[in-house]
């Protein structure tokens, strides 16, 4: 489970993923942290580790501290997923919004469904938080997502669709050679990626699909949630 969580491959030794650990909050917390460290939050943990290394070695190992400081000042010159401070904070805020919004909506819409049956309020929050982290990358499930309402499943699809955009946008916007090319031809890579996400792709269709399913109150795709997509 540790290797599967960190590598975000979705493999599990148990027949029902990690549903047997739905009441083991420490297991869910540990696996959730590994999922974040191995995928979308890897740049955050990487910079945090080097910052701690730079601060912790300032007195006893000054040469290590100076090297770490140099890396922090020139991140993209040494690694693709090592971002400057401001971009790293932007990534943190984006990931918090993504995970928090999905967890809150899942708790609000599905806390009385069969997916959370037999779970107390604390376990419900823990499982909703784990699912919001896992669904976009790792594919491990601590609850039976087939028992969720249609709008929650649609929102999961939306989160899967946008999961790679924060890191991708930062990769392109902090690429010095790419930015030099953009200066020559005009335009901003970040603006281009955001407009492509929000306007030219399918985001607006998915948002409309989610809102209709939420207002109609479909309990499953079989009730007509999937047909709504073709009407949109």
């Amino acid at each position: 489970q540790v290797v599967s969580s960190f590598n975000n491959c979705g493999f599990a030794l148990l027949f029902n993923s990690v549903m047997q650990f739905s009441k083991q909050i420490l297991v869910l917390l540990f696996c959730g942290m590994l999922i974040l460290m191995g995928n979308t939050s890897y740049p955050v943990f990487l910079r945090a580790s080097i910052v701690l290394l730079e601060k912790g070695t300032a007195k006893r190992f000054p040469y290590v501290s100076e090297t770490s400081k140099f890396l922090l000042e020139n991140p993209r010159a040494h690694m693709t997923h090592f971002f400057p401070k401001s971009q790293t904070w932007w990534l943190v805020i984006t990931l918090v919004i993504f995970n928090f919004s999905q967890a809150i909506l899942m708790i609000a819409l599905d806390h009385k469904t069969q997916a959370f049956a037999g779970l107390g309020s604390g376990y419900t929050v823990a499982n909703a938080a784990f699912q919001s982290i896992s669904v976009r990358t790792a594919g491990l499930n601590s609850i039976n997502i087939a028992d969720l309402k249609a709008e929650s499943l649609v929102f999961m699809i939306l989160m899967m669709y946008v999961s790679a955009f924060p890191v991708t946008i930062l990769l392109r916007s902090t690429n010095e050679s790419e930015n030099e090319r953009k200066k020559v031809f005009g335009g901003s890579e970040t603006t281009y990626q955001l407009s492509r996400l929000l306007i030219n792709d399918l985001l607006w269709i998915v948002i409309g699909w989610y809102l209709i399913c939420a207002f109609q109150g479909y309990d499953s795709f079989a009730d007509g949630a999937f047909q709504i997509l073709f009407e949109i």
Side-chain angles (χ1 to χ4, degrees):
Q1 299 304 129
V2 171
V3 175
S4 179
S5 298
F6 184 76
N7 288 280
N8 283 242
C9 58
F11 298 148
L13 298 176
L14 304 174
F15 70 96
N16 59 354
S17 192
V18 294
M19 291 175 59
Q20 294 186 21
F21 300 110
S22 61
K23 293 186 178 181
Q24 303 293 328
I25 295 181
L26 289 180
V27 175
L28 297 179
L29 179 62
F30 184 68
C31 289
M33 291 296 292
L34 289 175
I35 292 170
L36 290 174
M37 291 174 63
N39 199 288
T40 52
S41 296
Y42 174 74
V44 178
F45 284 95
L46 176 62
R47 186 171 184 87
S49 300
I50 297 179
V51 168
L52 292 176
L53 183 64
E54 189 263 336
K55 300 295 184 182
T57 59
K59 294 183 179 180
R60 299 190 60 182
F61 305 99
Y63 59 94
V64 177
S65 179
E66 288 297 324
T67 302
S68 302
K69 185 176 180 180
F70 177 77
L71 291 174
L72 292 171
E73 293 174 350
N74 305 276
R76 286 287 275 141
H78 305 281
M79 191 174 183
T80 57
H81 285 70
F82 190 16
F83 301 139
K85 181 178 180 180
S86 58
Q87 283 84 353
T88 303
W89 277 111
W90 183 89
L91 179 60
V92 170
I93 294 172
T94 303
L95 294 178
V96 169
I97 292 174
F98 279 3
N99 293 326
F100 184 77
S101 60
Q102 185 172 359
I104 289 298
L105 286 174
M106 189 179 300
I107 294 171
L109 297 173
D110 295 284
H111 67 282
K112 293 183 178 180
T113 62
Q114 191 63 31
F116 293 98
L119 298 177
S121 57
Y123 294 129
T124 298
V125 172
N127 282 271
F130 178 81
Q131 285 300 135
S132 67
I133 294 172
S134 174
V135 69
R136 293 181 291 112
T137 51
L140 296 174
N141 299 314
S142 62
I143 59 174
N144 186 5
I145 61 174
D147 292 330
L148 297 175
K149 290 186 177 181
E151 55 264 34
S152 294
L153 298 177
V154 172
F155 196 74
M156 282 187 177
I157 296 173
L158 173 61
M159 288 292 101
M160 293 176 189
Y161 174 71
V162 302
S163 62
F165 269 89
V167 175
T168 301
I169 291 173
L170 291 180
L171 281 172
R172 300 296 296 273
S173 63
T174 57
N175 189 331
E176 295 181 1
S177 60
E178 186 72 16
N179 288 338
E180 289 297 325
R181 183 182 67 82
K182 283 293 179 178
K183 289 179 181 179
V184 175
F185 294 100
S188 167
E189 183 63 31
T190 303
T191 303
Y192 166 74
Q193 292 287 350
L194 286 173
S195 64
R196 181 173 178 268
L197 168 64
L198 297 174
I199 300 175
N200 298 333
D201 288 342
L202 302 177
L203 185 59
W204 295 119
I205 295 178
V206 177
I207 290 176
W209 187 21
Y210 170 79
L211 291 176
I212 292 175
C213 289
F215 290 139
Q216 293 292 336
Y218 294 124
D219 292 327
S220 67
F221 277 98
D223 294 336
F226 191 69
Q227 287 79 355
I228 291 296
L229 178 61
F230 292 94
E231 296 182 11
I232 295 177

